[in-house]
Amino acid sequence: FQEKLERPYAKPSREEQARILEKLNEAEAFETFLQTKFVGQKRFSLEGGESTITALDEILQMAANDGMQEVAIGMAHRGRLNVLTNVAGKTYGQVFKEFEGNTDTSTVQGSGDVKYHLGTEGVFTNLEGKQVKVSLAANPSHLETVNPVLEGIVRAKIDRLDTINDNIFPVLPVLIHGDAAFAGQGVVPEVLNMSQLRGYKVGGTINIIINNQVGFTTPPGESRSTTYATDVAKGYQAPIFHVNGDDPEAVFHVAQLAFEFRKEFKKDVVIDIVCYRRRGHNEGDDPSMTQP
């Protein structure tokens, strides 16, 4: 870390800067369109934390270059629609259809689930033309409850590839958290605690926190007893990067570091993207009642 952080790091190349801008534009334009077309509909937008897409894109770029089999993502609902379309390859058309409320005719009374709980599978192609599978696990709302589910999915995939005895972990788990839930839900330290156990380990997880500094309506000082949302990870010797969400180049750099750390040491790493939340908790908020 001294080698990587204590000296000025090279700025992203012109091609990388163009890619960062392209991903930010995609994230921003998608949210702006939804806000204009489906006013007041719940979607838990990523606005204020769009650089999360930059981090995910760079992790996938590196995973494809590294010849990994798959990147499996688990997350709560904040920013999920953006990740589905701009990272995991779900089409915009499918998402707009869900907003218009078209029911699934193959079920008795529609799907019964909401658009920001659904998962998907796709293929990511990087700038060099290399591909890696990408999947997003479905998460029926209980925020961090998806964590052990995703780790189980990843471990099963690694077991089927039968590379674990060679200490090779070709499926990369990425968990995306909210700051209040990461500090507040007991399942988080439970999953961290299992991360190095023989029967459960997956070669390290990249944890990304979309830290918009408010949990539904609760400011940090009212929701946890520690300074940082990430302090629970200190007990597991996981390196924690706090990065400014308004500096996408720094987020890009930290995503590279996190990927390299996980590859080298096969342990968990945490990226804390400190950002904000532009449209309240779920776009239908009344600012006199919920934290703006």
Side-chain angles (χ1 to χ4, degrees), residues 60-81:
L60 283 158
Q61 294 278 352
M62 294 179 79
N65 279 339
D66 217 41
M68 296 195 81
Q69 291 275 334
E70 185 174 341
V71 175
I73 304 170
M75 66 185 298
H77 40 251
R78 171 81 46 210
R80 187 182 194 88
L81 296 174

Side-chain angles (χ1 to χ4, degrees), residues 32 59 70 75 97 103 114 137 139 141 168 183 210 231 259 285:
T32 304
I59 288 165
E70 185 174 341
M75 66 185 298
K97 219 172 176 176
T103 50
V114 288
N139 179 10
S141 202
I168 296 169
I210 301 174
D231 283 340
F259 185 90
D285 285 358

Side-chain angles (χ1 to χ4, degrees), residues 44-45 47-49 76-78 143-144 177-184 209-224 227-229 272-283 285 287 289-292:
F44 302 98
S45 81
E47 288 170 288
H77 40 251
R78 171 81 46 210
L143 304 178
E144 304 293 331
H177 315 268
D179 52 315
F182 193 81
I209 296 176
I210 301 174
N211 186 349
N212 54 37
Q213 305 169 82
V214 58
F216 191 2
T217 63
T218 314
E222 301 289 331
S223 65
R224 60 174 184 264
T227 306
Y228 297 105
D272 180 22
I273 300 177
V274 182
C275 54
Y276 68 99
R277 195 177 73 186
R278 188 173 297 162
R279 299 194 192 276
H281 184 62
N282 63 16
E283 292 75 43
D285 285 358
M289 183 185 77
T290 55
Q291 294 269 10

Side-chain angles (χ1 to χ4, degrees), residues 12-20 127-128:
S13 67
R14 189 167 172 76
E15 188 183 32
E16 287 169 337
Q17 286 177 325
R19 177 73 179 188
I20 291 168
L127 292 169
E128 278 88 71

Side-chain angles (χ1 to χ4, degrees), residues 19 57 61 64 123-132:
R19 177 73 179 188
D57 184 68
Q61 294 278 352
V123 175
F124 177 89
T125 307
N126 76 358
L127 292 169
E128 278 88 71
K130 294 176 181 165
Q131 293 189 323
V132 62

Side-chain angles (χ1 to χ4, degrees), residues 127-262:
L127 292 169
E128 278 88 71
K130 294 176 181 165
Q131 293 189 323
V132 62
K133 275 169 66 179
V134 55
S135 60
L136 181 64
N139 179 10
S141 202
H142 295 287
L143 304 178
E144 304 293 331
T145 310
V146 75
N147 302 1
V149 175
L150 184 88
E151 301 291 4
I153 290 169
V154 170
R155 177 58 190 245
K157 289 182 178 198
I158 292 169
D159 283 345
R160 289 186 71 178
L161 293 166
D162 203 22
T163 58
I164 219 155
N165 292 333
D166 304 319
N167 210 26
I168 296 169
F169 299 91
V171 182
L172 168 65
V174 178
L175 287 172
I176 304 172
H177 315 268
D179 52 315
F182 193 81
Q185 283 189 249
V187 70
V188 173
E190 287 171 6
V191 171
L192 285 167
N193 191 38
M194 294 161 89
S195 65
Q196 294 300 311
L197 300 183
R198 191 181 53 171
Y200 300 93
K201 72 175 171 189
V202 290
T205 301
I206 297 177
N207 295 280
I208 298 174
I209 296 176
I210 301 174
N211 186 349
N212 54 37
Q213 305 169 82
V214 58
F216 191 2
T217 63
T218 314
E222 301 289 331
S223 65
R224 60 174 184 264
S225 302
T226 59
T227 306
Y228 297 105
T230 53
D231 283 340
V232 67
K234 286 180 179 173
Y236 304 95
Q237 307 284 291
I240 299 161
F241 297 104
H242 304 286
V243 60
N244 178 1
D246 283 344
D247 185 351
E249 289 186 6
V251 174
F252 172 87
H253 179 61
V254 161
Q256 290 179 329
L257 284 181
F259 185 90
E260 287 169 17
F261 177 87
R262 187 262 181 188

